[in-house]
Amino acid sequence: MNILLLGSGGREHAFAWKIVQSPACSRLFVAPGNAGTAEIAQNVKLAATDFPGIHQFILRESIDLVVVGPEEPLVKGLVDFLQSQPDTVNLPIVGPSKLGATLEGSKDFSKRFMQRNGVPTAAYETFTADQIAAGLAYLEKQSLPIVLKADGLAAGKGVLICENLEEAKSSLKEMLLDAKFGDASSKVVVEEFLSGIELSVFVATDGKSYKILPEAKDYKRIGEGDTGLNTGGMGAVSPVIFADSDFMQKVEDRIVKPTIAGLEKEQIDYKGFVFIGLMNNNGNPFVIEYNVRMGDPETEAVLPRIESDFVGLLTAIATGKLDQYELKISPNYSTTVVMVSGGYPGSYEKGFPISLPEKTEGSVIFHAGTATNPEGHLVNQGGRVLAITGVGSELQEALDHAFSTVNQISWEKAYFRKDIGQDILNLTK
């Protein structure tokens, strides 16, 4: 098969790494890709949102399967666009339709979908600018802290947890009246705060059948001990010790089954991945959010644990034959440590040469924000630069493998968290 993978982050490098291991893959193209994907596939100078360019490339290179990594092209309707063209109408694509992608593209749509289909989630109300008075009155009746979410895509920055009423009111005004997050906050979801432990559950679906992939826990904040600003993710661990078989059975029965049944009942075309952000609240799962693609950096921890053929999984999703696919999961632990540019998630400098080890033992280096400069040197190009995944039969062994490799990598002002996985290790003591 000739396969086109869209995206440029660590998630896409992990996808590419897994795809090229399959005998079913003849050629892999990544658009636009990064310095890591360039080593194992052919990068293409195409933006993931250049729909006409992608269409022409598919025809020119006789692409048999398209895999969409990030959410933006899905929310903007890439799948619908390709299916509207006579020569790509039947092309297998991993990624939901525009309506399906609205589960991530609109928090309000997502909450209403959960409500209609009996999926447990936090209580909420949605407000627009002309409902500001009602929104402020609603805040006065809620317990604190309270969560404010921009309705649309806000690059992971559109969620605020307000500790007091004054902060909540001023934040609601900033979001609705001052367009703090642009069009994304033209609607704001005001949501009950749920306490507990977060985890990510990933589900592959062809719209009817589903397979639950390995769960993971990610680390969002920049500072050790989960302090400081939120980021796109500083690390991940899989499996998650507190997600035991009883809890995961609740997740399947209360969340996964009604979610997939809801997609089918509402005739939402959905062939792809559902990322379910969960809160374990006293042993009961509640949905914080849906994403319509795999998470990052969780993907870099999850994919190494999939032992069955990955292209077989992708093809089964895209062709509606997932019920015929046998998913095999490794019992090993997988831990990912993200190395970032100094200053991230704020402003940071780019273009520093990166030094990598010649060999790694028990670990894989996934590229995210990397590029090759005119002199041919690997340099940092983004905020999150590399994701190093260690694997082992025990959590400590996986962490040792990851950090051993991290400690052999350097560039000016590089930063990483040294406490990834420590909270889970402490639970086992």
Side-chain angles (χ1 to χ4, degrees):
M1 298 176 76
N2 294 331
I3 301 171
L4 173 62
L5 169 64
L6 301 178
S8 62
R11 167 184 50 223
E12 286 74 35
H13 188 191
F15 265 76
W17 170 80
K18 201 69 175 170
I19 287 169
V20 297
Q21 292 173 23
S22 170
C25 176
S26 307
R27 300 173 75 196
L28 175 63
F29 300 93
V30 189
N34 59 38
T37 59
E39 294 177 358
I40 56 173
Q42 186 176 329
N43 282 359
V44 183
K45 286 188 176 178
L46 261 180
T49 51
D50 179 1
F51 295 180
I54 290 166
H55 177 243
Q56 288 304 311
F57 184 85
I58 287 166
L59 300 180
R60 191 167 67 246
E61 297 295 341
S62 303
I63 297 299
D64 302 300
L65 175 70
V66 174
V67 182
V68 187
E71 67 278 8
E72 189 182 4
L74 295 169
V75 171
K76 288 184 173 175
L78 173 63
V79 173
D80 307 63
F81 173 82
L82 293 175
Q83 288 176 344
S84 71
Q85 310 298 312
D87 39 22
T88 52
V89 64
N90 294 315
L91 178 68
I93 307 170
V94 178
S97 64
K98 185 173 185 176
L99 180 59
T102 313
L103 282 176
E104 180 168 358
S106 167
K107 299 284 192 300
D108 179 60
F109 176 91
S110 158
K111 295 290 280 192
R112 286 188 285 119
F113 174 88
M114 290 182 229
Q115 212 168 41
R116 285 195 303 273
N117 292 287
V119 176
T121 188
Y124 80 104
E125 286 289 343
T126 303
F127 301 95
T128 56
D130 57 2
Q131 297 168 312
I132 186 70
L136 295 172
Y138 180 79
L139 286 174
E140 289 180 356
K141 297 173 186 171
Q142 305 311 305
S143 55
L144 295 165
I146 189 90
V147 183
L148 273 55
K149 293 181 176 180
D151 178 61
L153 296 179
K157 297 173 183 172
V159 178
L160 303 176
I161 299 172
C162 302
E163 300 291 340
N164 58 62
L165 184 59
E166 188 179 327
E167 180 190 1
K169 285 184 169 183
S170 64
S171 296
L172 186 64
K173 288 175 186 173
E174 285 174 5
M175 292 169 84
L176 287 177
L177 304 180
D178 305 332
K180 180 171 182 170
F181 300 108
D183 287 345
S185 60
S186 59
K187 274 187 196 171
V188 173
V189 173
V190 180
E191 192 176 85
E192 169 195 17
F193 177 81
L194 291 175
S195 59
I197 311 176
E198 285 188 49
L199 74 151
S200 307
V201 170
F202 301 98
V203 180
T205 183
D206 59 9
K208 295 179 181 178
S209 302
Y210 65 85
K211 302 286 180 184
I212 300 177
L213 305 181
E215 79 286 353
K217 179 188 188 301
D218 79 328
Y219 296 80
K220 281 277 189 286
R221 293 187 182 272
I222 189 68
E224 293 181 9
D226 282 327
T227 57
L229 294 172
N230 267 337
T231 71
M234 294 299 295
V237 172
S238 179
V240 181
I241 194 168
F242 55 80
D244 58 21
S245 57
D246 287 349
F247 180 77
M248 290 306 293
Q249 191 62 54
K250 290 178 186 174
V251 170
E252 182 169 8
D253 292 342
R254 300 179 191 179
I255 293 166
V256 177
K257 285 180 179 176
T259 295
I260 305 304
L263 293 172
E264 189 172 10
K265 183 178 71 183
E266 299 186 16
Q267 298 183 313
I268 296 173
D269 182 20
Y270 203 113
K271 293 181 173 70
F273 297 100
V274 187
F275 164 128
I276 306 174
L278 292 177
M279 185 68 77
N280 179 345
N281 181 263
N282 295 319
N284 293 306
F286 289 82
V287 177
I288 303 168
E289 64 176 355
Y290 290 122
N291 289 162
V292 297
R293 34 71 190 180
M294 291 291 284
D296 193 345
E298 297 101 323
T299 298
E300 294 92 306
V302 166
L303 293 199
R305 296 191 58 220
I306 296 178
E307 292 183 333
S308 42
D309 184 81
F310 191 58
V311 172
L313 173 65
L314 297 173
T315 307
I317 291 168
T319 58
K321 297 176 181 175
L322 194 56
D323 59 336
Q324 300 170 29
Y325 179 82
E326 186 185 352
L327 179 67
K328 292 180 182 173
I329 304 297
S330 164
N332 283 339
Y333 280 86
S334 184
T335 61
T336 300
V337 178
V338 176
M339 301 183 73
V340 304
S341 298
Y344 173 82
S347 58
Y348 52 85
E349 293 177 62
K350 303 176 183 178
F352 294 124
I354 300 170
S355 170
L356 296 178
E358 286 185 18
K359 288 184 178 180
T360 61
E361 189 176 335
S363 66
V364 188
I365 299 171
F366 294 116
H367 291 239
T370 61
T372 306
N373 69 10
E375 290 77 45
H377 292 135
L378 182 70
V379 297
N380 70 314
Q381 182 67 19
R384 292 188 299 161
V385 181
L386 298 168
I388 292 79
T389 297
V391 176
S393 58
E394 300 293 338
L395 177 55
Q396 186 63 64
E397 183 185 18
L399 287 167
D400 289 345
H401 283 152
F403 281 108
S404 173
T405 300
V406 166
N407 289 327
Q408 297 175 67
I409 298 172
S410 62
W411 74 89
E412 198 173 327
K413 300 181 181 176
Y415 170 78
F416 61 92
R417 276 181 59 172
K418 299 180 178 68
D419 65 340
I420 302 300
Q422 290 303 311
D423 55 339
I424 294 180
L425 271 178
N426 291 336
L427 289 173
T428 65
K429 290 175 182 174

